[in-house]
Amino acid sequence: MEFFEALNGRRATRAFSPQPVSRPVIERQIDAAIQAPSAINEQPCDFAIIQEYERLDRIAGAAKELMSNVAERAPPRSIHAHMHDPNFNILYHAPALIVVSARTGEWAVEDGTLAAENLMLAAHAFGLGSCWSGLAQRWLETEDGRRAIELPAGFMPIAPIIIGYPSEKAAAVPRTPARTRWIGSKIEI
């Protein structure tokens, strides 16, 4: 897949087929993720890959419970009703969750986020759908969440990315034009 095709075609996927993603395909996505730049070339990322459906369901249920019960971490109003729907699964029944974590430090969030973006672009290039599961994020930061993904001491979860084969094509989302401000003189070439 050509770079701009991947960049312009990647969309958040929230409808997955139950087909599992093979280990070699996931490993290629991880290889893409570690190509991301990192501050001072620390390369601090750690990747927890979960494909066991029971564990995925436990993570989804615990994260949903936290989001439903903790007011200061309440989800946006647009999805608040989903938190009380017994059929709503925070991980959208994706067959895999890859949690990108980074060694705790000044640039952990930036380093993990760059790796996550590469991972999602690679997923799209492989015909997979992906979505950063922000609703699972806060629970993964808890001690129970850290244990569930066997997070090593000194690391913090940055980006829970669900992946799988889409069961339907995600609709294109219109983009607003970039807000740009040229500071100083423009150089015309």
Side-chain angles (χ1 to χ4, degrees):
M1 181 178 286
E2 193 263 336
F3 174 74
F4 284 101
E5 181 183 354
L7 185 67
N8 294 325
R10 196 214 68 79
R11 298 287 177 256
T13 299
R14 294 182 182 91
F16 297 93
S17 83
Q19 178 184 354
V21 181
S22 73
R23 184 181 186 126
V25 170
I26 290 176
E27 288 172 343
R28 295 278 310 270
Q29 290 172 67
I30 302 298
D31 287 343
I34 65 172
Q35 297 306 312
S38 62
I40 318 168
N41 196 31
E42 287 287 320
Q43 302 180 39
C45 290
D46 173 269
F47 303 88
I49 299 107
I50 298 116
Q51 292 185 285
E52 178 189 349
Y53 281 108
E54 289 177 6
R55 188 181 300 243
L56 290 168
D57 284 343
R58 283 195 308 271
I59 290 170
K64 181 178 173 182
E65 183 177 348
L66 176 70
M67 294 302 286
S68 297
N69 296 328
V70 183
E72 65 270 15
R73 294 184 179 169
R77 288 212 181 281
S78 61
I79 57 171
H80 197 271
H82 291 302
M83 295 297 107
H84 302 290
D85 177 353
N87 297 315
F88 177 69
N89 182 294
I90 280 180
L91 300 178
Y92 296 94
H93 301 287
L97 168 65
I98 301 174
V99 181
V100 180
S101 300
R103 194 174 303 106
T104 304
E106 186 175 357
W107 303 105
V109 171
E110 291 82 355
D111 291 340
T113 301
L114 288 165
E117 179 65 14
N118 274 19
L119 189 141
M120 290 186 291
L121 287 170
H124 179 62
F126 277 103
L128 297 168
S130 67
C131 185
W132 184 316
S133 182
L135 293 174
Q137 182 102 23
R138 298 300 165 242
W139 182 78
L140 290 168
E141 295 169 355
T142 68
E143 284 307 312
D144 287 342
R146 295 172 63 83
R147 269 192 302 278
I149 60 170
E150 301 173 8
L151 190 63
F155 283 79
M156 59 189 287
I158 304 296
I161 309 296
I162 53 176
I163 63 166
Y165 293 94
S167 62
E168 57 189 52
K169 184 175 168 82
V173 177
R175 302 292 184 203
T176 58
R179 289 183 289 276
T180 58
R181 297 177 297 113
W182 293 84
I183 310 300
S185 63
K186 274 186 172 178
I187 298 175
E188 299 289 332
I189 297 180

